Amino acid sequence: MEGNELQHNEYEFVAEIKQLLDIIIHSIYTHPEIFIRELISNASDALNKMRLLRLTEPKILDPESELQINIFVDSTTSNFIIEDTGIGMTKDEVVQQIGTIAHSGTMEFLQRLKEGGSADNLNLIGKFGVGFYSTFMVTDEVTLETRTYMPESTGVRWKSQGKDKYTIEEIEKPKRGTKIFFKLKEQYKEYATPEKVKATIKKYSNFIDFPIYVNKEKVNTVQAIWYKKKEELTKDEVEEFYKFISSDSKPPLSYFQVSIEGNVNFKALLFIPESLPNYFVPELFEKTLLLYSNKVFIQDNNQEILPDYLKFVKGVVDTEDLPLNISRETIQNSPLILKIKKILTTKILNHLEELAISDNAKYNQFFKSFGSIFKSGITIEQSHRDKIIELLRYKSSKSDPEKLISLSEYVQKMKPEQKEIYYVLAETFDSLDKNPNIEYFRKNNIEVLVLTDPIDALVVPFIIEYKGKPLKSIDMADIRIEKSEFQESERIDAELANQLFDKIKNVLGDKILNVQESNRLVSSPVTLVTSKYGHDARAEKIYKIIDKNFQSSAKILEVNTGHPIIKNLVKMMQNNPENHLIDSIILQLYDEALLLEGELENPKEFIERLNAILIKVSE
Ligand code: ADP
């Protein structure tokens, strides 16, 4: 997508850029200083590319020139100049990269900004690749001069007032790199003072890995803080570093260092964020790990070092064992990376374990933010299965929904006669009250884990048992429930019950697999459960979302033979087995059970039958 050429050397911005510029110039005034951060970040990217190219490219313009960023400001003229010795741009690249918006999320971002441009959105400007344009907040005209690293390249000058046009021309430029200059608007002239610029760099760009000079004075402390010893690291610098690499505005929940020497050598400084990043910035999810080789930046979103279920961890991994000129493909298949992955996985799990012991509140916060991703580890990770299972947390039917418990805590509280660990898959914690299968457990004060995360349906079958105790869904038929005495005294006798069950089978036909007496019901007349060969009903709902052709398992209807409706049904059968009302009531009870599961497909039929029954009883 190129800009449209108007007259000689004069082009028009593509529509999105015009729109963006309009927003930037007219509505974003809260943090004008971020233009400095954005320009430095672009310069740093260009320098990083140069640093890597230098290792492989034999012919480079000014091979010896130091990789650095120079800023010159003049408070008397309000001029601002930023210059780098980075990779530079060709004419085509200037047109393409400065004249269009590369990132697909940008239009959405623009929309959001328009709806209400908050300061938080503003922080995202850089992430959307609109960084360069933030300069138009503080100036009326920007000039960019650039020349690539290739010795035969020519210089290019791009100039724009940020309205709808820009000009581009070839120029003499002896040096490699990019120079951007402009005059600050009257109200922003303070950014032409070295003090203000230095303070801004300290705030946003302190960890940039290249020296930054302001009016020839070096400003940033280029420092690989992951090389520091634990005792030397201050909380402030660690938090500052975290914010810098993660774009998170909040401090991390926790962090830790790893330093391994021997077979494999690497250092890492890793962070657990407090919460998931802003959902509409997918880039933030991708930015996981920065990979360095001996303090030289290699990659900013390495996807290979961490297993998927630990990808919420952010930080830096620096290994001197990795050759600097390594390609992305080689990183992917490198045995070194695999070794680092193995070690880091163990270290992260150990860290989580320590956090769970030392700071329960923080651990729970971690689990609320990242539990869904983390849990999935059980399905893929054999070697750390047991550890991950120990680290799982669930809501409990016995405490308020904010509290989370571990399987270990659950087992410790079990009565000796309880042989199984019970759980229920529930849409929400409160929806548990609608589930008749919980009645027995409430009545007998047996704890049930309440699994409200949709991923639980997929993950929990992988646990199978914990400390020799099988995990059982209370919605399935194969749980070991003893009959309680109070129920026993109120039940109808077995022969009558069997006659009724035959009748029910007759009426419901192949809607159900079987009918049996229930031990789990207290106040409900019937419930549907799944045979041990089938799946939990809620799990099936999730499977159906994933696989449209998924076949539901046939259900078993459990009947509470102490319930008044059931007792009345038996009496009706004794009086007149042909009474049609019996069939209607059986169908109605079955539909009620479906309704509670959210599975009733034909509410019209249900209501019509209910009305027919009401007519009968009100006659
Ligand atoms: P982003 O940096 O997020 O991609 P920008 O609008 O700030 O978005 O920059 C667009 C592109 O212009 C960059 O991706 C880069 O390719 C190029 N660019 C910007 N500044 C420089 C620079 N100083 N040196 C080389 N290329 C640059």
Side-chain angles (χ1 to χ4, degrees), residues 42-43 46 49 84 87-89 97-98 103 126 129-133 178:
N42 283 347
K49 288 178 191 155
D84 65 64
I87 191 168
M89 284 176 271
Q97 285 155 11
I98 304 288
H103 301 249
V130 295
F132 172 76
Y133 295 99
T178 303

